[in-house]
Amino acid sequence: MTSSQAPFLLLDLALILGLARVLGLGARALGQPAVVGEILAGILLGPTLLGARFAGTLFPAEVRPLLSALAGVGLALFMFAVGTEIDLGILRGGSRVTLWATTFSTLLPLALGAALACVLAGAHHQSPRAGLVLFFAVAMAVTAFPVLARIIADRGLTRSQLGATALTCAAITDLLAWILLAVAVAVATGQHLDWRLALLVPYVALMIAVGRPLLRRASEASRREKAQGTESGGSGESRNFLALVLVGLLLSAACTEWLGLHYIFGAFLFGAIMPRGGDGGLRDIALQRIEPLCGLLLLPAYFVLAGLKVDLSRLDAADIGTLAAILVVAVAGKVLGAYLGARLGGYGSRPAYALGVLLNTRGVTELVVLGVGLELGLLDGTLYSLMVVMAVTTTALVGPLLNRMLPTAGKSGTTVVQCAPVAPGGAAREESR
């Protein structure tokens, strides 16, 4: 970093942090997830509102690679945090409604997304058609698990059957979506693939068979340190454990990048194998230290850089039609798919719709997927901009639609919804007040 780059970099980071924080708090005040305001901050700082020249002055070309590097680190940390929220144990079981809702809310968006990609391929695609079709299917199927978890907590649904079902469905769907995205990356970069990609399966097996037990031992050691409450070295031990986690996730990210996939998969995998349970464990120490820095600075930097690539000022009537089609496919795929699956599983009509609305949350996870697509050339600038608008719109719709379907009761504001299973030989029952 040169002396001329340093002032712009520091000023840009201050601008990113300030505007993202203000708009994030504003979004929360309006009943929206903070990520909606943070994504809007990036769009407002881009060419859509300020024009390409002024946006280029605020974020000079020579500074953007530095911001991209910081944003890349933030993205790796975010994907690690997402991985820690995915409990691989959910794949061993689940209720009937979870099975049906997950199946339909995954397959229908995948099918509709692939069909829409075939329609849009001629006008917007520059790379192999198969890559775009697979990528678009994944983009329509993904759910923003971290944003969904926060919405469910804010609504008092954490201990409800509806909340548990939504989180389980989202976790399974996103796990499948990341696997399919890895396949899409492999298809899109087929000309660069070689023998290294064959090492992916052994690498994953090694991480589960060797890396997870080692992390569990470190986690147990960290819990012992906390239980002992030693005055000397306690804080130092925590820093040592945090350093271990950071080294591990960065090495894992580097490995998947070297294998021919995106580095986000390595960070996600390292988070997924982190041991769970036990206060003061390695996972808790890592998240307590990593999430504040990532959420306040590094991830907003990723949002702003994503927004700088969005230019809505040049959209024409045809693009507006494309946006409408994208929104219809995105909303119908998730809401209708989850509704049909939930009804087959025994939910009443209102809870089934509520489940579909919850699973339609996209937010930051969608931005990660879209960023990969733009980087690989699967999306052009216009299609990328339209997909970002879809991500913001579908996430912003969750709150108002839930307010209509799930009225709150009592001073606590806890939503009361009972999702009764189908009685043998009878119709689904629904009770809500």
Side-chain angles (χ1 to χ4, degrees):
M1 182 171 62
T2 65
S3 58
S4 62
Q5 292 173 322
F8 273 106
L9 176 63
L10 298 176
L11 288 173
D12 286 344
L13 287 175
L15 179 61
I16 290 169
L17 175 60
L19 187 59
R21 188 64 176 170
V22 169
L23 293 186
L25 292 174
R28 293 296 302 274
L30 295 174
Q32 294 289 344
V35 67
V36 171
E38 293 169 348
I39 295 174
L40 288 176
I43 295 176
L44 293 178
L45 289 174
T48 297
L49 182 65
L50 302 179
R53 171 176 288 185
F54 192 67
T57 302
L58 279 179
F59 300 92
E62 63 270 16
V63 174
R64 293 193 188 192
L66 302 177
L67 289 172
S68 296
L70 290 174
V73 174
L75 182 57
L77 296 178
F78 169 74
M79 290 306 302
F80 164 77
V82 171
T84 62
E85 299 294 337
I86 302 294
D87 185 0
L88 298 179
I90 61 178
L91 299 177
R92 293 193 294 266
S95 65
R96 178 185 175 189
V97 67
T98 299
L99 174 63
W100 284 110
T102 301
T103 301
F104 276 79
S105 66
T106 302
L107 294 183
L108 186 57
L110 285 173
L112 293 178
L116 182 59
C118 292
V119 174
L120 300 177
H124 293 278
H125 192 45
Q126 301 174 353
S127 299
R129 186 188 185 95
L132 174 68
V133 171
L134 186 54
F135 171 81
F136 226 78
V138 173
M140 291 301 178
V142 74
T143 296
F145 185 89
V147 180
L148 175 63
R150 183 59 183 267
I151 291 175
I152 288 176
D154 290 344
R155 297 268 168 175
L157 295 171
T158 303
R159 297 182 181 275
S160 69
Q161 183 185 7
L162 175 63
T165 301
L167 287 175
T168 305
C169 291
I172 298 174
T173 299
D174 277 7
L175 188 59
L176 295 175
W178 291 122
I179 295 173
L180 290 176
L181 183 60
V183 176
V185 171
V187 172
T189 59
Q191 66 272 22
H192 301 297
L193 297 181
D194 54 26
W195 59 270
R196 291 176 295 181
L197 189 62
L199 298 177
L200 178 61
V201 173
Y203 173 70
V204 174
L206 182 66
M207 291 288 285
I208 296 175
V210 178
R212 187 176 177 86
L214 291 177
L215 289 172
R216 181 172 286 111
R217 292 182 184 179
S219 182
E220 293 171 354
S222 70
R223 287 197 295 270
R224 288 195 299 268
E225 287 292 335
K226 184 176 181 179
Q228 293 172 359
T230 54
E231 296 182 359
S232 60
S235 176
E237 288 295 331
S238 296
R239 287 193 292 269
N240 291 338
F241 292 133
L242 178 61
L244 172 66
V245 171
L246 289 174
V247 169
L249 81 89
L250 293 175
L251 286 176
S252 181
C255 284
T256 54
E257 184 75 25
W258 180 78
L259 289 175
L261 298 175
H262 203 279
Y263 64 86
I264 63 174
F265 301 110
F268 175 82
L269 175 62
F270 193 80
I273 67 170
M274 289 289 291
R276 294 173 160 268
D279 292 336
L282 189 63
R283 172 178 174 269
D284 305 301
I285 291 175
L287 291 179
Q288 289 170 4
R289 303 293 182 88
I290 289 175
E291 285 186 327
L293 174 62
C294 180
L296 282 175
L297 181 61
L298 297 180
L299 207 53
Y302 181 82
F303 295 151
V304 169
L305 289 176
L308 290 176
K309 302 167 187 174
V310 174
D311 189 358
L312 304 178
S313 62
R314 299 182 179 180
L315 299 184
D316 54 24
D319 295 326
I320 300 301
T322 300
L323 175 60
I326 290 173
L327 286 172
V328 169
V329 168
V331 175
K334 275 295 182 183
V335 176
L336 183 59
Y339 175 82
L340 293 175
R343 292 289 282 170
L344 285 174
Y347 268 18
S349 178
R350 186 181 293 269
Y353 271 123
L355 179 63
V357 170
L358 286 170
L359 294 181
N360 199 38
T361 305
R362 286 181 171 86
V364 61
T365 306
E366 184 74 18
L367 278 190
V368 174
V369 174
L370 297 180
V372 173
L374 185 64
E375 178 184 337
L376 296 176
L378 293 172
L379 299 177
D380 59 19
T382 299
L383 197 52
Y384 171 82
S385 299
L386 298 178
M387 292 292 286
V388 171
V389 173
M390 179 273 291
V392 176
T393 303
T394 53
T395 305
L397 284 174
V398 174
L401 291 178
L402 283 181
N403 289 338
R404 292 179 62 87
M405 288 183 290
L406 302 180
T408 57
K411 293 182 179 180
S412 65
T414 301
T415 303
V416 181
V417 176
Q418 296 180 3
C419 310
V422 177
R429 295 185 295 111
E430 172 191 349
E431 301 176 8
S432 62
R433 65 182 183 271

